[in-house]
Amino acid sequence: MKTLVLGLWFSMIMSCASAHDVLDSIRSNANFSTLNAALGVTKLDSALQGAGKFTILAPTDKAFEKLPTETLDFLLANPELLKNILLYHVGSGHFSSKDILKAGGLETLTGKKVPVVQSIKSVLVGNANLLKADLKASNGTIHVIDSVLVPSTRDVQTIKKDILELARSFAGQGDADFSRQTKLEVLVLELLSVQKVLPVKERLDLLKTCWYQEWGPYDYRGKNRGVDPELETSEIYQCIYDGHYYNVSRQYKNGDRTRPTIGLLRGKYRPSQTDANALEVRFTNLFSVKNDTQQANKIWDFPPFAEAGKLENRLRTLPSLFVKIFFGGGALKEIYTDTDLRILYGSNNNQFKKPYLYIMTKAK
């Protein structure tokens, strides 16, 4: 009799466990809180409670944390884009990890296949690692992964080309409602899905050069995220050297373009101690130099002159304390870097409602 009772009790437990559908399983797991929120935003949660069978590649909260905060906020604010990404994590039918490995991947509801292969150390699911396999639910199976998957069939160079063409097409126009930045972010997210990005400390050699700003807020005095009316779009750069960081731009007194000066905002930088993809910048000096054409052919030549102590006709140097108080610095989220393209987020919480995007190319 005791054996029968224990058997019935065990059967009841198993019955209750199997009654949980994939959505219940996700909701009851504290490691899937971001995934659960994303499913709610996109209205996919109700679909996963249906009678059909589903196979879910479920990113953990830590997987979502690998995305830049700005990117995750952007996705949550754009349900249709987020929905397409989530559907790339869902297959129709019940597929065990062995089934998926044998097939070489999972056909998803986007119509695209996520490649799955066995490596020496782990099972690779696209650009993610399989953390835990074959979690059973009443209407499917969940496989836990450590990165968010984003579908793309295009190569890196094609996506980069589209990013630059779109950035240049804006020609420095204002972007008070972030609509232009949003269009760029879609392409940037696609780029990140096909190209692995190393921590910023491993990209420092790529960053150590001068970068021309193709897109970004030039008018720091206004709130429309446009071009400073006294500057051309080709007259602002960021230059990075060993331990030194410069914002460099031409300046025109009262808009008089016949008498240009060069403004150099100089500071120190280091990789962030808390964010593997960020640089911490602290500005310490600000000075202007006139007659730039007598000293250098290109605006980005000035930081080396400054470091060598060879700048001529210096107009003024502001006290370091003044610079630290009024310019300070902050963290630059280095989203992507290669030999000729740099993408980053900057922030200015006093002026803009969210971090702003920079698209930069190597000065030539």
Side-chain angles (χ1 to χ4, degrees):
M1 182 67 178
K2 184 177 181 180
T3 302
L4 178 60
V5 172
L6 286 173
L8 290 171
W9 178 74
F10 180 77
S11 297
M12 289 175 63
I13 291 177
M14 294 304 293
S15 176
C16 290
S18 63
H20 285 274
D21 56 37
V22 290
L23 184 63
D24 291 330
S25 299
I26 290 170
R27 284 176 171 172
S28 63
N29 192 321
N31 291 317
F32 295 139
S33 59
T34 305
L35 176 59
N36 182 44
L39 290 170
V41 166
T42 56
K43 311 294 186 188
L44 288 175
D45 49 0
S46 58
L48 295 180
Q49 293 179 304
K53 295 290 185 180
F54 302 99
T55 297
I56 312 294
L57 303 174
T60 63
D61 288 347
K62 288 185 177 180
F64 280 99
E65 288 172 7
K66 290 182 180 180
L67 296 173
T69 302
E70 301 80 13
T71 302
L72 181 57
D73 290 344
F74 167 69
L75 288 173
L76 291 171
N78 291 269
E80 284 305 310
L81 179 60
L82 180 58
K83 181 178 180 179
N84 190 52
I85 290 173
L86 292 179
L87 289 175
Y88 191 57
H89 294 73
V90 182
S92 178
H94 161 69
F95 298 98
S96 69
S97 55
K98 289 183 178 179
D99 294 332
I100 296 173
L101 270 171
K102 185 177 180 180
L106 176 68
E107 295 287 347
T108 70
L109 295 183
T110 65
K112 298 176 182 178
K113 185 176 183 177
V114 176
V116 179
V117 296
Q118 176 74 60
S119 71
I120 295 175
K121 295 183 178 181
S122 65
V123 175
L124 300 178
V125 182
N127 63 339
N129 294 297
L130 181 65
L131 297 179
K132 189 176 292 186
D134 303 312
L135 303 181
K136 297 294 190 288
S138 63
N139 64 342
T141 303
I142 297 172
H143 305 294
V144 184
I145 56 177
D146 69 352
S147 294
V148 178
L149 308 172
V150 183
S152 178
T153 59
R154 306 198 303 160
D155 61 82
V156 171
Q157 292 304 319
T158 300
I159 300 170
K160 284 173 55 177
K161 179 175 178 289
D162 284 355
I163 289 173
L164 288 175
E165 286 184 352
L166 182 59
R168 290 165 179 164
S169 73
F170 296 143
Q173 300 172 60
D175 193 28
D177 63 356
F178 287 80
S179 60
R180 294 182 174 88
Q181 177 166 313
T182 296
K183 292 177 181 178
L184 283 166
E185 284 177 318
V186 173
L187 292 173
V188 171
L189 186 62
E190 183 183 7
L191 176 64
L192 295 177
S193 77
V194 300
Q195 183 74 359
K196 183 178 180 180
V197 177
L198 296 172
V200 72
K201 64 181 180 181
E202 298 181 40
R203 291 183 273 142
L204 285 180
D205 285 343
L206 290 173
L207 285 167
K208 290 175 183 176
T209 187
C210 280
W211 299 92
Y212 161 57
Q213 190 165 306
E214 301 278 2
W215 165 256
Y218 297 78
D219 187 359
Y220 295 98
R221 298 170 299 183
K223 295 185 179 181
N224 71 338
R225 295 166 42 78
V227 177
D228 188 317
E230 295 181 357
L231 289 178
E232 298 292 337
T233 57
S234 60
E235 294 179 322
I236 185 166
Y237 293 80
Q238 294 182 15
C239 299
I240 303 173
Y241 297 94
D242 289 334
H244 295 101
Y245 195 101
Y246 281 85
N247 280 346
V248 186
S249 66
R250 282 199 173 90
Q251 300 174 337
Y252 302 97
K253 187 175 182 179
N254 299 322
D256 183 359
R257 299 186 64 82
T258 65
R259 300 169 58 191
T261 60
I262 300 295
L264 294 100
L265 182 60
R266 178 181 184 270
K268 294 280 189 178
Y269 75 90
R270 66 175 185 176
S272 171
Q273 303 299 304
T274 58
D275 188 334
N277 286 321
L279 288 179
E280 294 177 354
V281 179
R282 293 292 179 267
F283 291 112
T284 56
N285 304 92
L286 175 64
F287 44 85
S288 297
V289 180
K290 63 182 179 181
N291 296 331
D292 57 292
T293 56
Q294 296 179 17
Q295 298 185 71
N297 292 324
K298 304 293 184 182
I299 188 173
W300 59 83
D301 288 335
F302 275 81
F305 275 84
E307 292 306 307
K310 297 180 179 178
L311 285 178
E312 301 174 1
N313 300 315
R314 183 182 297 183
L315 294 179
R316 65 182 183 275
T317 301
L318 295 179
S320 294
L321 181 60
F322 179 92
V323 175
K324 290 177 181 178
I325 292 175
F326 289 94
F327 292 91
L332 299 177
K333 193 89 163 184
E334 299 287 340
I335 302 299
Y336 177 88
T337 322
D338 62 24
T339 55
D340 56 10
L341 179 65
R342 178 181 173 215
I343 302 173
L344 64 147
Y345 280 100
S347 62
N348 185 331
N349 294 329
N350 294 326
Q351 198 172 45
F352 304 132
K353 63 183 180 181
K354 72 173 186 175
Y356 46 80
L357 184 71
Y358 289 100
I359 305 293
M360 311 195 83
T361 53
K362 189 174 181 179
K364 299 176 181 179

